[in-house]
Amino acid sequence: ETQEGLVSVLRETNMNLTAGLREQRWTYDLPDGTRQIHDTALRIYLPHTLSEMLWSAGFIDIEQNGGVAGEPLSVGSRRCISLARKPG
C-alpha cells in the first residue's frame, strides 16, 4: 500500500534453459487504474561454468559453496559462492 492507494504486483517467471536466462515479467496495477509491465532477464551460470570461467581467467584452488558460511553446494542451495585464488 502506498499514499496513493493499493499497488498490486504480479511476477511471472520463466526459466529459459536454452538461452541460460531467468526471464521475469513484472505487472504493476496502480491505484489510478493504469497498468505497467516490465520485462527483465537474469543470466544463469551453472557451477561448472563458473569454475571454467575462473580457471580460464587464471584462478586456482577453486571452491564452490552453497552459502557464505561455507555450506556444501547442493541442488537445494539458494546461492553458489565461488572462492578462488589468483597466484602470484
Side-chain angles (χ1 to χ4, degrees):
E1 191 159 341
T2 69
Q3 291 179 352
E4 291 79 28
L6 188 63
V7 176
S8 175
V9 180
L10 173 65
R11 181 186 70 184
E12 300 168 276
T13 302
N14 176 52
M15 298 300 288
N16 184 337
L17 299 177
T18 303
L21 296 172
R22 180 182 74 184
E23 301 167 331
Q24 293 184 315
R25 171 162 283 183
W26 297 81
T27 303
Y28 301 91
D29 290 321
L30 303 176
D32 65 4
T34 61
R35 174 175 280 182
Q36 294 182 3
I37 298 174
H38 297 281
D39 292 321
T40 62
L42 179 66
R43 173 78 51 208
I44 298 172
Y45 295 101
L46 294 175
H48 74 278
T49 305
L50 292 172
S51 292
E52 290 170 3
M53 291 167 64
L54 288 165
W55 182 81
S56 68
F59 287 88
I60 61 172
D61 301 332
I62 300 165
E63 298 177 19
Q64 292 176 329
N65 297 308
V68 294
E71 304 95 299
L73 182 63
S74 71
V75 174
S77 297
R78 294 184 55 98
R79 290 180 171 62
C80 176
I81 307 295
S82 297
L83 300 173
R85 183 171 61 87
K86 185 103 178 197

